[in-house]
Amino acid sequence: MTEAVTIAPETQAEIDRWLKKYPTDRKQSAVLQALMFVQRDNGGWLSEAHLNAIADYLELPRIAVYEVATFYDMYDLKPVGKNKIDVCTNISCKLCGCDKIVSHLEKRLGIKIGETTSDGRYTLKGVECLAACVGAPMMQINDLEYHEKLTPEKVDAILDRLEKEGDK
Amino acid sequence: MFTIEINGKSVEANDGQMVIDAADAAGIYIPRFCYHKKLSVAANCRMCLVEVEKMGKPVPACATPAVSGMKVFTQSQKALDAQKAVMEFLLINHPLDCPICDQGGECELQDLALCYGEDVGRYTEGKRAVADEDIGPLVATEMTRCIHCTRCVRFGTEIAGFRELGMTGRGEKSRIGTYVKHFMQSEVSGNIIDLCPVGALTSKPYRFTARAWEMSQHRSIAPHDCLGSNIYVHTRGYEYSDFREVMRVIPRENESINETWLSDRDRFSYEGLHKDHRLTGPMIRKEGKWLQVDWPTALNFAANKLRDIINSKKPDQLAAIASPSSTLEELYLLQKIVRDLGSNNIDHRLHQSDFSQQENAPLFPGMSTELASIDSMDAILLVGSDIRREQPLAGLRVRKACLNGATIMRIGSIDHDVNFKLSENVHTTPSTLVESLQAVVDSLTSDANKSSIAKHLKNSEKSLIILGDEAQSHSQATLVRALCLEIAKLSNAKIAIMTLGANSAGAWIAGAVPHRKAAGENSSAVGLNAQTMFSQPRAAYILLNVEPEHDLIHSSTAIAALMAADFVMSLSPYMSPVHADLADVLLPIAPFTETDGTFVNVEGKWQSFNAVSPPYGEVRPGWKVLRVFGNLLELNGYDYICASEVRNELEKLLQHSNVPTDRTSLEKNTSNKPKGFEILYEWPAVCVDNVSRRANALQSILMPLQRTVSISSETAKDLGIQSEQLITLKQSDREITVPARIDARIPNTCVLVPKGVSLTSGFGDGFAEITVQRGESHA
Ligand code: SF4
Ligand code: FES
Ligand code: FES
């Protein structure tokens, strides 16, 4: 059985701010943001208990939250490494050579897509279109930064930087 | 109304109607998977693509509104190409397991693949497989077969009001499931079996037992609640063979009653008809031993015994009690025999304790409106009703009304969970129920509008008051009813008395009440009712489809009287251990699938049905048994050849009947609050009659709460016990020690006794004083 978790008061306030943007009987509209906030608070991933907590907070059937959380690539339902690398493997990126980027990343990190390095530093994910097709091939770091028109060299530079930040 | 053209044929269409609806109405078939007329439009399967003139691409007929003058082609090359392409995609991930799939032979995908599929697949990659989830004892899943039409999901959200299933994941990884394993808790969950166009969701009790093409389909009427849902019974075996067996039950569409749905109870109860549970032939008890005998022996034995008792004692030493789910014909003949023998002691009101003013009742208790009108009510007041479980499909209509904007309110002692929004919820105890209703009456009569329930009823154009089982079995049921009638009169509301069983209305009409003969004719002498026939024990009893240990609110008194009686004959498809103890003759009569008969529903609709299979073994239809019995008793007028003659005779009598409408009047409230505990009874939905109690899959969905006696948390504290600890209940010299459970639905100082379950078998004496003690009895 999963243990119940609670949503931190500050996070609740953040969710409430989003709730205000929608009609009061449309709390479901805030589910994407709520999931984002709670995932951030929890070190980048969501457990079943978190999903339940969000469902209860938004007064939604639990399945409604599971549906959203499992649909979008940006939610992780298993623990992730400190840095999360989402490489787009959808059509535009595929046509522009994302395979090369993926294999470069895999080689350099020593893991396959969907895995986390044993030191817990990196998680590598293949994701669907992130709406940056003009800059294909592309990847996203930690749900925040987009990096476009990737080459193996560019990837190395980004990873070097992450490496350095990690040492700090 | 305008016309459109489909395949060159001009077809009528309405504003806002989708092309597929117009085509259906005109009898033009467009292939579909996700579309269902009772569900919202999802347009996700694309099977219904058709060509429309002046539209570039093929469009989905289920999501394209008809427009005047539109020209649609459902069979043009362009349409066919599109449909075939969709089919090819659908089959990519669909397993080729039709030979071992329960849906085979009645699968929408299989049928359409025959028309639109290719014989060879071009897809050589691996197919996906999806792990199954156990979603309970009623519905089996094989999710690899799912084509993601989301009909099941939409049914849950839109109709049942229970979001149990959902679609998780995305693209190739999407799957239907409950995500976290948990049992479906809806009372209508079986409908997703019919909705699922493929073999992903199938019936667990039925699966692997038959193929669609081996079975015959018969029209019938569901026998468990007062709606009279229309059903098809599917049987296998030759028409006149003993081996013809009921394999399953599915809904038969009737917009005015069950729409396209069926409750789980009506769908799965057929398991209780299985021969393992049944009596195979008549039995008599000789010197304490049960003997299998032939019909003439059994009937003569019974007739002689009865005659002896009546001759040596008085005719009024005979009493008969019948289940309200017996057929109209059985009830009519039973009361005829009882009356012809000179007794008026007959009743069918198994849950009732207050029989006052019965002479003021209308011809039968029921609805002053139609079932379908529930959908469009503006306000509904539920009084002592657990409509979701008592009449599940009426519950769906209340929910529909609620979604249409109606205000739903409730007054009652058990805080049942509902799948609609309750705007007012007055949680009473049995004794304060009357006060709460009185308060509504008072605020309707005075200007001061104190009660918001009164306000809502008064301000609504169309409103309805629904009386459930608690209201009818209440210790002051007559007062409750009079108050409801008063509220209805003052607020111009309609009334619906949702009676017990499939045929309470029929029982009244047939004269299975002690004060009125058939067709409502007053009886010069008033006989004993369902309570007094036991509290003033008789020498001889006839039971028709009644199991006294479960079906009666006065079980303990009844069993004592039956045990002490000189002679008890039971007509029932089954023998229960209690029957074995107290009966002298057991006459196996046919359940509803093996007899012709009629049920009158709560609206007063007469619905007749025919036997779908010959009676099992030596079993005989109840009406035939009673007819022969009447002859053996040398009574006149028992020469019916078929069940419809019985019905016709009653119909003829009805032509001269003129029972006025409900005249139940308000009498002063004389009750004083009982000291100590108040008792509440609840018959779990799957324990309402002898058939449902034997349906295995249904029994396995009984909730823990229905297997224990319920008390409130405060009561538990007062008694000093925790959940699941033992308490001892004592009422009228009967005592049982049972586990108690803390149940938030129960008001303080009340104890809720589930009936129809083995735990409380034989317990219960109406509202006689009850004591509750911690632990086992010390006596
Ligand atoms: S399980 Fe059946 S009804 Fe539900 S989405 Fe899949 S195919 Fe449709
Ligand atoms: S396909 Fe990669 S960003 Fe759109
Ligand atoms: S039936 Fe129209 S898209 Fe499924």
Side-chain angles (χ1 to χ4, degrees), chain B residues 143-221:
Chain B
M143 295 324 278
T144 305
R145 300 186 185 130
C146 170
I147 57 167
H148 308 111
C149 68
T150 69
R151 276 188 190 174
C152 55
V153 176
R154 281 175 285 148
F155 175 79
T157 325
E158 294 161 19
I159 309 292
F162 239 91
R163 258 327 272 287
E164 296 163 320
L165 295 163
M167 181 148 80
T168 58
R170 161 176 180 168
E172 202 191 32
K173 296 197 196 83
S174 45
R175 60 187 55 190
I176 301 290
T178 46
Y179 187 79
V180 276
K181 210 159 140 180
H182 77 105
F183 287 154
M184 307 219 300
Q185 289 171 1
S186 164
E187 62 291 350
V188 291
S189 62
N191 290 296
I192 60 177
I193 298 167
D194 303 332
L195 287 171
C196 182
V198 295
L201 304 173
T202 54
S203 161
K204 219 176 235 184
Y206 159 77
R207 79 169 176 161
F208 304 147
T209 59
R211 281 302 196 183
W213 58 84
E214 303 175 291
M215 296 190 287
S216 326
Q217 171 161 292
H218 317 263
R219 307 158 141 256
S220 191
I221 304 297

Side-chain angles (χ1 to χ4, degrees), chain B residues 125-398:
Chain B
E125 291 81 352
K127 290 183 180 238
R128 69 181 210 139
V130 181
D132 277 323
E133 282 188 86
D134 183 356
I135 59 169
L138 303 179
V139 182
T141 67
E142 193 64 58
M143 295 324 278
T144 305
R145 300 186 185 130
C146 170
I147 57 167
H148 308 111
C149 68
T150 69
R151 276 188 190 174
C152 55
V153 176
R154 281 175 285 148
F155 175 79
T157 325
E158 294 161 19
I159 309 292
F162 239 91
R163 258 327 272 287
E164 296 163 320
L165 295 163
M167 181 148 80
T168 58
R170 161 176 180 168
E172 202 191 32
K173 296 197 196 83
S174 45
R175 60 187 55 190
I176 301 290
T178 46
Y179 187 79
V180 276
K181 210 159 140 180
H182 77 105
F183 287 154
M184 307 219 300
Q185 289 171 1
S186 164
E187 62 291 350
V188 291
S189 62
N191 290 296
I192 60 177
I193 298 167
D194 303 332
L195 287 171
C196 182
V198 295
L201 304 173
T202 54
S203 161
K204 219 176 235 184
Y206 159 77
R207 79 169 176 161
F208 304 147
T209 59
R211 281 302 196 183
W213 58 84
E214 303 175 291
M215 296 190 287
S216 326
Q217 171 161 292
H218 317 263
R219 307 158 141 256
S220 191
I221 304 297
H224 302 292
D225 64 35
C226 61
L227 308 185
S229 293
N230 290 195
I231 56 175
Y232 282 122
V233 181
H234 288 172
T235 61
R236 185 175 57 185
Y238 294 115
E239 195 163 351
Y240 296 107
S241 86
D242 268 356
F243 300 104
R244 184 177 241 186
E245 211 184 328
V246 173
M247 305 309 295
R248 63 173 175 186
V249 168
I250 60 166
R252 172 160 59 96
E253 186 172 346
N254 183 334
E255 201 47 38
S256 64
I257 299 177
N258 51 308
E259 305 174 66
T260 53
W261 315 126
L262 201 57
S263 68
D264 287 353
R265 177 170 60 201
D266 288 340
R267 180 187 302 267
F268 295 108
S269 70
Y270 70 89
E271 277 195 300
L273 306 173
H274 196 270
K275 44 181 185 280
D276 293 353
H277 305 295
R278 303 267 299 272
L279 273 171
T280 53
M283 294 173 94
I284 58 176
R285 198 217 301 260
K286 270 247 167 83
E287 284 139 23
K289 286 220 175 64
W290 281 105
L291 303 177
Q292 287 265 9
V293 293
D294 56 14
W295 275 100
T297 314
L299 286 173
N300 276 312
F301 175 80
N304 291 337
K305 282 271 192 182
L306 267 192
R307 248 194 316 251
D308 285 352
I309 291 171
I310 285 167
N311 292 341
S312 63
K313 303 194 170 149
K314 270 206 206 128
D316 78 345
Q317 279 302 312
L318 167 66
I321 183 106
S323 152
S325 292
S326 308
T327 66
L328 187 69
E329 291 78 357
E330 289 162 353
L331 291 160
Y332 175 74
L333 289 177
L334 178 65
Q335 67 83 33
K336 190 166 157 173
I337 289 176
V338 170
R339 293 213 156 89
D340 285 351
L341 289 173
S343 171
N344 278 302
N345 306 331
I346 178 161
D347 211 343
H348 71 281
R349 294 167 290 180
L350 310 183
H351 293 186
Q352 206 160 311
S353 283
D354 180 3
F355 300 87
S356 55
Q357 288 196 57
Q358 58 183 2
E359 64 284 356
N360 288 341
L363 178 60
F364 61 88
M367 293 183 84
S368 60
T369 175
E370 276 162 4
L371 273 170
S373 73
I374 297 178
D375 305 5
S376 55
M377 288 293 161
D378 302 316
I380 297 175
L381 172 62
L382 297 164
V383 180
S385 162
D386 182 14
I387 198 156
R388 268 188 68 186
R389 288 158 201 94
E390 289 169 17
Q391 296 85 23
L393 299 183
L396 290 190
R397 289 193 185 272
V398 171

Side-chain angles (χ1 to χ4, degrees), chain A residues 28 48 51 61 63-64 66-67 70-73 77 128-129, chain B residues 153 163-171 173 177-180:
Chain A
Q28 181 156 17
E48 195 177 303
L51 302 184
I63 185 76
Y66 304 154
E67 283 178 335
T70 56
F71 184 86
Y72 290 103
D73 282 330
L77 305 179
E128 306 305 336
C129 178
Chain B
V153 176
R163 258 327 272 287
E164 296 163 320
L165 295 163
M167 181 148 80
T168 58
R170 161 176 180 168
K173 296 197 196 83
T178 46
Y179 187 79
V180 276

Side-chain angles (χ1 to χ4, degrees), chain B residues 353-571:
Chain B
S353 283
D354 180 3
F355 300 87
S356 55
Q357 288 196 57
Q358 58 183 2
E359 64 284 356
N360 288 341
L363 178 60
F364 61 88
M367 293 183 84
S368 60
T369 175
E370 276 162 4
L371 273 170
S373 73
I374 297 178
D375 305 5
S376 55
M377 288 293 161
D378 302 316
I380 297 175
L381 172 62
L382 297 164
V383 180
S385 162
D386 182 14
I387 198 156
R388 268 188 68 186
R389 288 158 201 94
E390 289 169 17
Q391 296 85 23
L393 299 183
L396 290 190
R397 289 193 185 272
V398 171
R399 177 175 146 78
K400 212 195 286 179
C402 180
L403 295 178
N404 289 340
T407 310
I408 317 291
M409 302 163 286
R410 178 172 69 190
I411 302 179
S413 309
I414 309 179
D415 202 8
H416 301 287
D417 57 332
V418 288
N419 49 5
F420 37 76
K421 186 171 151 259
L422 277 179
S423 305
E424 301 288 335
N425 185 12
V426 184
H427 192 188
T428 64
T429 65
S431 54
T432 60
L433 178 71
V434 171
E435 293 160 28
S436 305
L437 290 169
Q438 185 67 51
V440 179
V441 173
D442 292 346
S443 51
L444 282 167
T445 41
S446 75
D447 289 335
N449 249 343
K450 274 164 288 172
S451 144
S452 38
I453 292 182
K455 225 183 290 169
H456 282 303
L457 288 174
K458 188 128 206 189
N459 296 341
S460 301
E461 202 183 307
K462 288 186 279 177
S463 50
L464 176 68
I465 304 171
I466 295 178
L467 281 76
D469 198 40
E470 190 204 339
Q472 295 165 68
S473 62
H474 194 272
S475 62
Q476 290 176 285
T478 308
L479 183 58
V480 168
R481 175 164 167 169
L483 286 166
C484 290
L485 285 170
E486 191 67 16
I487 297 172
K489 198 171 84 199
L490 293 168
S491 62
N492 203 11
K494 302 274 186 211
I495 274 264
I497 301 176
M498 304 302 267
T499 44
L500 183 68
N503 199 23
S504 277
W508 278 85
I509 296 170
V513 279
H515 62 295
R516 277 189 197 155
K517 300 196 235 174
E521 190 192 333
N522 278 332
S523 157
S524 44
V526 176
L528 300 174
N529 58 44
Q531 180 177 9
T532 48
M533 69 169 72
F534 299 116
S535 59
Q536 300 165 33
R538 304 287 101 185
Y541 288 95
I542 305 177
L543 309 177
L544 175 61
N545 265 322
V546 170
E547 292 176 329
E549 68 276 32
H550 293 314
D551 287 324
L552 299 169
I553 199 166
H554 297 284
S555 284
S556 56
T557 334
I559 290 175
L562 290 162
M563 289 298 277
D566 297 340
F567 177 70
V568 176
M569 73 187 245
S570 162
L571 292 88

Side-chain angles (χ1 to χ4, degrees), chain B residues 720-772:
Chain B
I721 61 155
Q722 319 234 301
S723 218
E724 308 239 15
Q725 285 187 343
L726 294 177
I727 56 172
T728 298
L729 306 179
K730 196 164 171 197
Q731 190 190 33
S732 318
D733 300 332
R734 266 274 294 172
E735 192 177 271
I736 49 168
T737 302
V738 288
R741 199 176 278 264
I742 294 173
D743 183 345
R745 301 174 304 159
I746 309 304
N748 228 349
T749 68
C750 288
V751 48
L752 177 123
V753 175
K755 288 283 291 178
V757 293
S758 54
L759 179 80
T760 57
S761 171
F763 186 78
D765 184 25
F767 298 94
E769 196 180 320
I770 183 162
T771 60
V772 181

